[in-house]
Amino acid sequence: MDTSSPARLYATLVGAALVVIGIIGFFYEASFAVGDDIQVDEEFGFLAINGWENAIHIVAGLIGLAAAGTNASARLYSLGFGAIYVALAIWGWIDETILEIIPVNDEANVVHLILGITGIAAGLATPTDERQRPARATPEPG
């Protein structure tokens, strides 16, 4: 039986949060303009977003929710997306838009960094093989 793990918790919580944040973000800014025409608004008053970022949040969240089904897929999601989020945070501090498509600001970079570090930590805290997990003590039939 595939039991719960830090990676499954991360994939479930972050996946659900990203889907919700992506949907809410479209109420703030739904423009898919790029380059010099990029339109940006601040979701919740501090996170720079646009239509592209909202769509990416929804897709990344749905992938997380799908990956939460098993420890192996959740571990891969946690490590992979954790690394991506750390890279996005670093890139965001270097440039205010990623590929002239996705707007970022310092607050978004901090959120990306936190998501990245916790994702990597959750992935590393999840065993790669169920046989490595300590066995649970079961009461003997009486």
Side-chain angles (χ1 to χ4, degrees), residues 40-74:
V40 179
D41 197 356
E42 291 187 348
E43 186 172 19
F44 307 122
F46 67 97
L47 296 173
I49 52 102
N50 68 356
W52 291 109
E53 188 159 13
N54 296 329
I56 290 168
H57 284 156
I58 292 169
V59 170
L62 291 174
I63 292 170
L65 291 173
T70 67
N71 281 337
S73 59

Side-chain angles (χ1 to χ4, degrees), residues 2 71-72 75 126-134:
D2 204 12
N71 281 337
R75 185 174 191 277
T126 300
T128 58
D129 185 356
E130 283 300 311
R131 288 173 276 158
Q132 294 175 355
R133 282 186 98 91

Side-chain angles (χ1 to χ4, degrees), residues 69-126:
T70 67
N71 281 337
S73 59
R75 185 174 191 277
L76 181 63
Y77 175 83
S78 298
L79 292 172
F81 275 83
I84 289 169
Y85 283 125
V86 168
L88 286 175
I90 293 168
W91 193 347
W93 274 306
I94 295 169
D95 192 1
E96 289 182 354
T97 61
I98 297 173
L99 302 175
E100 294 191 18
I101 296 174
I102 302 168
V104 291
N105 58 7
D106 287 338
E107 293 85 351
N109 293 329
V110 170
V111 171
H112 290 152
L113 185 63
I114 291 168
L115 287 174
I117 290 170
T118 56
I120 292 169
L124 293 175
T126 300

Side-chain angles (χ1 to χ4, degrees), residues 2-71:
D2 204 12
T3 59
S4 188
S5 68
R8 288 181 75 185
L9 181 63
Y10 176 85
T12 301
L13 294 178
V14 170
L18 286 174
V19 169
V20 170
I21 287 168
I23 292 169
I24 291 171
F26 278 112
F27 291 100
Y28 285 90
E29 181 59 60
S31 170
F32 286 92
V34 296
D36 292 336
D37 296 328
I38 196 167
Q39 295 180 18
V40 179
D41 197 356
E42 291 187 348
E43 186 172 19
F44 307 122
F46 67 97
L47 296 173
I49 52 102
N50 68 356
W52 291 109
E53 188 159 13
N54 296 329
I56 290 168
H57 284 156
I58 292 169
V59 170
L62 291 174
I63 292 170
L65 291 173
T70 67
N71 281 337

